[in-house]
């Protein structure tokens, strides 16, 4: 009876198709008419269209730990469903995937794409994302609403897998003294020592951090550009990077000492180098966002949703984020050991140090910020 | 040579391939460059089609600075590359043993197969503040994090492609020059180096110009080298094109810059050809 229950569950979760269901039902001792009757009672698709019967998926993920961890989680899922997953890697930031999807829409080359908050906003605005229901992803019901990408009508349009963030930090062995305020970014001893993402990376959070120090915000970015201009004139920008790995390389090779990076990157760098992450230092703002899968509308979206749901099961969500050095989104998942420094668990800390900017505004403004960066700041970087 | 109807027919397949693979995308790019784009949205605005705004932006001094960096550093890299590649090509062309020549040519070709990222990151690690060359130059007071150093690294990165390509272009030219001409100059009293400079170099000038032109076209369109080695301080036009197409989905502006690059590179190469080729043809 348990085996039959499991089979029914797998069919309902679309992990197997009708043919597989019947074959396996016969294997556990059901007669053909009984298997047929059970199948009719369960409903389900015809097993040819792709969902749950080995439909190949193409997914996009960030490289390095993100991809390694994703492959680890996908392997048993592929084995049980027969769905092969081909992974593509984001070139630079996740924002770069937008034009690639646009170029092929309505027949995109991808089924599910790893995104973070601002990219979710853009994809949602374009109407590309499939609605995610609690029936299709039962674990979604456990996840705090703040972590779930929502449409204007309040429907979930993504499956989050990590709570992540961006923050300033530095290699303690490469700076003369600790950084105590944002104004320290102008210090003479930091000449050529700052790694800074270009505005498209992090959708401009780094510029917002500069702006907030001077009384600005994501809706008033001018003070941020004025601050960036001062840093450029002081000669303190050592590298402007497009992808996180480039920033990580810059810090780990000692090319630069200070950077604005994602908290997961800092956690990984912290394993091998002495670093101080300024996510609990008054005056330095750290920003929180969510990473997850956006499921693109298409013929294989049900299978894609099923794969995405694997990432937020209690066990997998903890395991995956341990690899990434980020916080799980499923409250039932354990926070991986050694990550407490990089993840906020205390609501009071969250209130005091973490910023949730308006990603909708930022995703619309970043293009203007990039233009301004190219015109006003890059020529000043010496 | 007269072009016959049969000759034209033979050219037809390659012309068709060229039109489909190059002409059609280029036409699409031209059309795109006159489209409007709304900030914050993907691609082009369907409501308003024609605008010259994307080209007007290119006349701003900031954009001209990016263009200047692209062509200045490409030009320097190609000139240095030509100087480095000439003796290599000369040695290959004048090597008496065919097996040695084949080995040397194979080595040059194999250099082109090496992954771009491996080359670029190896240069970055070697020349960075904590790399062996970085350590060395810092002893002489060179700041490894300033813009000039980034420019030098970009030139070094470009040389990895330019030297083998220019040398391979020159080998054929030098092999077609009769070595007895140099011997004649030496019989008349010229030293070996003088014979090479006054006989082989002028006779191979057209090949050198071709090598320079091919390298310049490649260097001007380089993307990975300035992206990684330029550290965000040195950016080529191709980096701006990438930003527009892949980062903010402003296709019309990206298309306008791409076409400006095509026109500027073609004009520069035409200029080089017009200025130098007749000069060498009269010799």
């Amino acid at each position: 009876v348990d085996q039959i229950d499991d089979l029914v569950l797998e069919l309902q979760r679309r992990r197997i198709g009708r043919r597989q269901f019947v074959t396996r039902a016969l294997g556990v001792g059901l007669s053909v008419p009984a298997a047929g009757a059970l199948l009719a009672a369960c409903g389900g698709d015809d097993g040819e269209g792709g969902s749950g019967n080995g439909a190949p998926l193409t997914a996009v993920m960030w490289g390095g730990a993100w991809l390694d961890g994703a492959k680890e989680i996908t392997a048993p899922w592929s084995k049980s469903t027969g769905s092969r997953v081909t992974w593509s890697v984001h070139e630079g930031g996740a924002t770069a995937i937008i034009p690639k999807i646009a170029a092929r829409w309505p027949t995109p080359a991808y089924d599910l794409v790893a995104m973070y908050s601002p990219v979710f906003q853009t994809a949602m605005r374009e109407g590309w994302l499939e609605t995610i229901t609690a029936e299709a992803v039962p674990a979604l019901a456990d996840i705090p609403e703040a972590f779930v990408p929502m449409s204007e009508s309040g429907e979930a349009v993504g499956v989050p897998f990590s709570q992540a963030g961006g923050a300033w930090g530095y290699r303690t062995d490469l700076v003369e003294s600790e950084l105590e305020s944002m104004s320290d970014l102008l210090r003479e001893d930091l000449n050529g020592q700052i790694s800074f993402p270009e505005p498209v990376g992090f959708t401009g959070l780094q510029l917002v951090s500069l702006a907030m120090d001077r009384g600005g915000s994501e809706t008033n970015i001018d003070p941020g550009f004025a601050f960036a201009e001062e840093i450029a004139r002081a000669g303190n920008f050592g590298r402007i990077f497009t992808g996180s790995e480039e920033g990580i390389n810059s810090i780990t090779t000692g090319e630069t000492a200070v950077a604005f990076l994602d908290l997961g990157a800092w956690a990984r760098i912290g394993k091998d180098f002495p670093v101080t992450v300024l996510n609990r230092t008054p005056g330095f703002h750290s920003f929180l966002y969510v990473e997850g899968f956006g499921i693109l509308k298409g013929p294989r979206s049900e299978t894609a949703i099923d794969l995405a749901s694997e990432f937020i099961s209690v066990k997998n969500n903890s395991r995956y984020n341990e690899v990434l050095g980020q916080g799980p989104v499923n409250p039932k998942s354990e926070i991986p050991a050694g990550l407490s420094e990089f993840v906020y668990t205390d609501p009071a800390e969250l209130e005091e140090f973490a910023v949730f900017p308006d990603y909708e505004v930022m995703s619309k403004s970043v293009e203007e910020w990039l233009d301004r960066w190219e015109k006003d700041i890059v020529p000043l970087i010496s | 040579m007269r072009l016959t109807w049969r000759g034209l027919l033979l050219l037809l397949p390659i012309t068709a391939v060229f039109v489909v693979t190059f002409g059609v995308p280029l036409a699409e790019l031209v059309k795109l460059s006159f489209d409007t784009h709304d900030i914050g949205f993907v691609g082009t605005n369907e409501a308003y089609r024609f605008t010259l705004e994307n080209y007007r932006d290119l006349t701003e001094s900031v954009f001209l600075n990016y263009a200047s960096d692209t062509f200045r550093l490409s030009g320097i890299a190609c000139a240095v590359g030509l100087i480095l590649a000439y003796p290599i090509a000369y040695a290959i062309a004048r090597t008496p043993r065919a097996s040695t020549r084949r080995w040397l040519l194979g080595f040059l070709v194999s250099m082109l197969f090496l992954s771009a990222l491996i080359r670029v990151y190896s240069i970055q690690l070697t020349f960075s503040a904590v790399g062996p060359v970085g350590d060395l130059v810092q002893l002489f007071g060179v700041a490894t994090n300033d813009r000039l150093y980034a420019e030098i690294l970009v030139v070094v990165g470009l040389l990895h492609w330019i030297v083998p390509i220019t040398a391979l272009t020159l080998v054929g030219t030098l092999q077609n020059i009769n070595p007895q001409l140099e011997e004649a100059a030496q019989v008349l009293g010229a030293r070996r180096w003088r014979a090479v400079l006054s006989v082989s170099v002028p006779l191979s000038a057209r090949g050198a110009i071709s090598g320079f032109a091919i390298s310049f076209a490649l260097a001007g369109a380089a993307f990975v080298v300035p992206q990684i080695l330029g550290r965000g301080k040195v950016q080529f036009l191709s980096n701006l094109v990438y930003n527009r197409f892949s980062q903010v989905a402003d296709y019309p502006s990206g298309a306008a810059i791409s076409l400006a690059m095509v026109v500027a590179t073609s004009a520069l190469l035409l200029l080089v050809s017009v200025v130098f080729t007749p000069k060498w043809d009269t010799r």
Side-chain angles (χ1 to χ4, degrees), chain B residues 140-158:
Chain B
F140 297 97
V142 175
T144 53
N145 272 343
D146 74 11
R147 187 190 156 90
L148 179 63
Y149 195 73
E151 286 190 359
I152 292 169
L153 289 200
V154 169
V155 170
V156 169
L158 293 175

Side-chain angles (χ1 to χ4, degrees), chain A residues 18 32 63 85 107 121 133 151 200 292-293 303 321 326 333 340 344 357 361 373 377:
Chain A
R18 286 160 62 100
V32 174
V85 181
T107 53
Q121 294 291 339
T133 61
S151 68
V200 178
F293 281 117
T303 315
N321 283 292
Q326 298 186 152
S333 301
S340 51
Y344 297 107
V361 168
W373 176 265
I377 308 296

Side-chain angles (χ1 to χ4, degrees), chain A residues 91 95-96 98-99 102 125-126 192-193 198 237-240 242 253 255 367 374-375 378 381-382, chain B residues 37 39-40 42 60 62 66 124-125 130 145 147 227-228 231 233 240 242-247 250-251:
Chain A
E91 292 168 19
T95 316
I98 296 293
R125 215 161 43 229
E126 296 291 332
Q193 290 302 312
E198 72 171 1
F237 284 132
R239 175 173 286 274
I240 308 300
T242 45
T253 59
E255 179 188 75
E367 187 178 341
E374 285 175 351
K375 286 176 179 165
V378 176
I381 299 176
S382 54
Chain B
H37 165 77
I39 284 182
V42 176
E60 288 184 27
V62 166
Y66 286 110
Q124 190 197 335
L125 288 171
V130 288
N145 272 343
R147 187 190 156 90
Q227 182 81 7
I228 306 290
R231 297 177 179 178
K233 299 176 176 191
L240 300 190
Y242 173 80
N243 283 345
R244 276 148 186 76
F245 273 104
S246 285
Q247 306 274 54
D250 182 358
Y251 307 154

Side-chain angles (χ1 to χ4, degrees), chain A residues 90-365:
Chain A
H90 280 301
E91 292 168 19
T95 316
I97 202 71
I98 296 293
K100 290 178 189 164
I101 298 171
R104 293 279 304 262
W105 195 258
T107 53
Y110 317 110
D111 299 300
L112 65 170
V113 178
M115 303 177 169
Y116 74 118
S117 302
V119 183
F120 271 116
Q121 294 291 339
T122 307
M124 198 166 56
R125 215 161 43 229
E126 296 291 332
W128 295 337
L129 299 180
E130 196 72 73
T131 303
I132 313 292
T133 61
E135 289 76 44
V137 185
L140 207 60
D142 296 328
I143 294 171
E145 215 169 79
F147 292 149
V148 181
M150 296 278 192
S151 68
E152 281 177 5
S153 55
E155 291 171 317
V157 288
V159 180
F161 52 68
S162 291
Q163 46 166 314
W168 286 95
Y170 60 93
R171 286 240 330 235
T172 50
D173 57 330
L174 297 179
V175 298
E176 286 178 10
S177 60
E178 11 180 284
L179 272 70
E180 291 171 348
S181 70
M182 291 283 282
S183 303
D184 282 348
L185 296 175
L186 297 169
R187 269 177 13 195
E188 245 178 68
D189 64 294
L190 294 182
N191 190 274
Q193 290 302 312
I194 297 173
S195 260
F196 194 76
E198 72 171 1
V200 178
F202 295 101
T203 320
L205 287 176
Q206 61 282 20
L207 280 169
V208 176
S209 80
L210 299 181
M212 287 177 75
D213 187 64
R214 301 286 175 93
S217 67
E218 66 271 28
T219 53
N220 173 22
I221 205 70
D222 290 354
F225 271 96
F227 197 169
E229 195 176 315
E230 284 179 49
I231 299 173
R233 285 189 193 280
N236 287 6
F237 284 132
R239 175 173 286 274
I240 308 300
F241 60 90
T242 45
S244 249
E245 295 304 323
E246 205 184 323
I248 293 170
N249 286 345
S250 186
I251 291 292
T252 54
T253 59
E255 179 188 75
T256 55
V258 183
F260 186 94
L261 286 170
D262 59 271
L263 291 170
W266 282 121
R268 292 198 299 285
I269 295 170
K271 286 180 184 168
D272 299 309
F273 299 91
V275 295
T276 295
V277 184
L278 300 161
N279 60 338
R280 286 181 173 86
T281 306
F284 284 91
H285 304 286
S286 81
F287 300 86
L288 289 193
Y289 51 85
V290 168
E291 288 177 1
F293 281 117
I295 314 296
L296 302 183
K297 288 175 182 168
R300 293 172 297 278
S301 59
E302 285 180 11
T303 315
I305 290 171
D306 190 45
L307 171 60
S309 73
E310 285 294 304
F311 285 71
I312 54 170
S313 71
V314 176
K315 190 176 149 201
N316 282 347
N317 200 226
S318 180
R319 196 158 59 113
Y320 189 46
N321 283 292
E322 187 172 6
V323 179
L324 298 183
Q326 298 186 152
V329 288
N330 192 331
K332 293 177 180 168
S333 301
E334 276 180 42
I335 291 179
L339 288 183
S340 51
E341 188 189 338
F342 306 100
V343 175
Y344 297 107
T345 49
D346 179 358
E349 277 188 333
L350 203 66
E351 178 73 27
E352 187 177 357
F353 300 116
V355 179
F356 291 89
D358 187 340
Y359 287 111
E360 170 75 11
V361 168
M362 291 174 65
S363 66
K364 283 180 180 166
S365 308

Side-chain angles (χ1 to χ4, degrees), chain B residues 104-120:
Chain B
L104 288 169
L105 280 171
F107 176 72
L108 279 181
V109 172
S110 69
M111 276 186 74
L112 295 172
F113 281 95
L114 197 62
S115 157
L117 281 176
I118 290 173
R119 293 177 202 221
V120 167

